[in-house]
Amino acid sequence: MPDLKLRQEMLPGGIAYIEAEGFLDAHTFEEMDRLVSGVFKQNCFRVIVKLEKLDYISSAGAGVFVAAVSRSRDNRGDIVFLKVSPSVREVFDLLGLSAIFQFAETREEAEACF
Amino acid sequence: MTHIRRSLTISNETRHLSLVRAVVSEVLDASTFDGKTRNKIIVAVDEALANVVEHAYQGGTGPIELGFDLDPEKLVVRIRDNGVRFEPSAARLTAQIDIKEHIRLGLKGGLGLFLMRQIMDEIQYVHDTEFVNELILTKKQPPPAEAPAGA
């Protein structure tokens, strides 16, 4: 199994949907960075990122989301994190990101955040 | 209680980070830390090692030696390299992170040391041993017979 598995699709309404599985660390964060940058290049700034199967995130991975949330909000969009795994949520909590990021438990709830 | 010592040497490549996290997890299996704290310690060691991998040999290659020492009172993790001497200022070691400002500026980095400090009890940078840099992370263990709160 690769360290990080990513899947992306476009939802109706111009929302990008990304699923991440595995480890998002200093070894793999550039893959996520490239994927998110590619979405932004298509002028899509409303993004749902499902992290249910993401087992691990380090500050390098969280940093990708910090920069991406900043860029999407600057462009009247946002990133909504769907079904975040407990270990990833723990790191978001430690960094103070849980109070700043948007979270949802269902895809419908996530879509309604925009 | 058992006293566990593990050591391993890796090259300064990020592909080894997941292996080291697995080793830390194994060592912590013999500890009295709860599950949440174990996960946090894995994050702290990963952050420390990722920094050393990225900066120690400044684009070159070299070995990084890791040592894990779990005794009944504490876990001590040592990360040693022979790269460029690294001495963070006291200000940098104690700096607080304004995460809202990070987001406003769209900054990606600078979060690792903050995480390490949040999680570990002590972070020490030591020099002038047989290694150029030695980073020592310490976390005190809870006593094994501690009753859960409210029990």
Side-chain angles (χ1 to χ4, degrees):
Chain A
M1 187 187 133
D3 285 343
L4 178 68
K5 208 167 139 190
L6 296 173
R7 194 174 73 79
Q8 189 231 318
E9 63 178 280
M10 286 306 291
L11 302 180
I15 298 171
Y17 177 82
I18 295 171
E19 268 185 28
E21 188 177 338
F23 309 132
L24 185 53
D25 63 2
H27 185 55
T28 59
F29 76 99
E30 285 170 335
E31 287 174 53
M32 177 62 90
D33 202 25
R34 274 195 294 273
L35 183 67
V36 174
S37 298
V39 168
F40 289 165
K41 264 188 195 153
Q42 297 168 49
N43 265 328
C44 174
F45 295 98
R46 295 192 294 171
V47 185
I48 295 171
V49 183
K50 189 178 181 188
L51 299 179
E52 188 177 21
K53 291 181 181 168
L54 191 71
D55 297 317
Y56 182 80
I57 193 166
S58 73
S59 71
V64 172
F65 294 139
V66 167
V69 164
S70 168
R71 179 121 186 256
S72 59
R73 288 181 183 172
D74 285 349
N75 289 278
R76 298 181 176 190
D78 205 348
I79 296 184
V80 180
F81 296 90
L82 175 61
K83 287 182 181 266
V84 179
S85 67
S87 56
V88 171
R89 187 64 186 243
E90 193 73 44
V91 174
F92 284 170
D93 286 347
L94 281 170
L95 288 170
L97 293 170
S98 296
I100 295 166
F101 286 175
Q102 285 211 81
F103 298 93
E105 283 306 311
T106 65
R107 197 146 126 177
E108 294 69 34
E109 196 190 320
E111 287 177 30
C113 288
F114 297 110
Chain B
M1 185 203 238
T2 43
H3 188 151
I4 290 179
R5 277 198 180 129
R6 288 282 300 269
S7 63
L8 77 156
T9 303
I10 60 163
S11 57
N12 60 329
E13 293 168 276
T14 54
R15 68 188 170 96
H16 299 307
L17 289 171
S18 56
L19 165 75
V20 174
R21 290 198 298 268
V23 172
V24 179
S25 178
E26 269 177 42
V27 171
L28 290 171
D29 279 345
S31 75
T32 56
F33 296 115
D34 62 29
K36 266 191 173 184
T37 308
R38 286 181 198 189
N39 285 338
K40 286 183 190 175
I41 293 170
I42 292 169
V43 171
V45 176
D46 187 57
E47 294 294 344
L49 180 58
N51 277 343
V52 174
V53 166
E54 190 183 347
H55 300 294
Y57 292 98
Q58 309 258 313
T61 54
I64 298 168
E65 211 183 282
L66 291 123
F68 304 96
D69 196 341
L70 180 75
D71 69 25
E73 286 172 6
K74 63 193 179 304
L75 170 75
V76 178
V77 180
R78 292 183 169 82
I79 304 175
R80 298 147 156 172
D81 70 79
N82 278 317
V84 177
R85 192 179 169 102
F86 177 64
E87 281 179 282
S89 64
R92 190 166 166 196
L93 277 175
T94 54
Q96 291 301 308
I97 288 280
D98 182 346
I99 200 72
K100 282 187 183 159
E101 189 68 359
H102 254 69
I103 289 193
R104 196 180 67 77
L105 299 170
L107 299 176
K108 284 181 191 169
L111 304 173
L113 185 56
F114 174 72
L115 267 183
M116 281 157 59
R117 280 206 334 262
Q118 297 262 87
I119 296 163
M120 303 306 285
D121 292 322
E122 210 177 304
I123 297 168
Q124 258 183 298
Y125 287 86
V126 179
H127 304 280
D128 305 321
T129 62
E130 59 180 306
F131 298 91
V132 174
N133 298 300
E134 181 168 353
L135 169 55
I136 306 172
L137 308 173
T138 306
K139 182 85 176 171
K140 288 185 200 106
Q141 277 203 89
E146 194 176 347

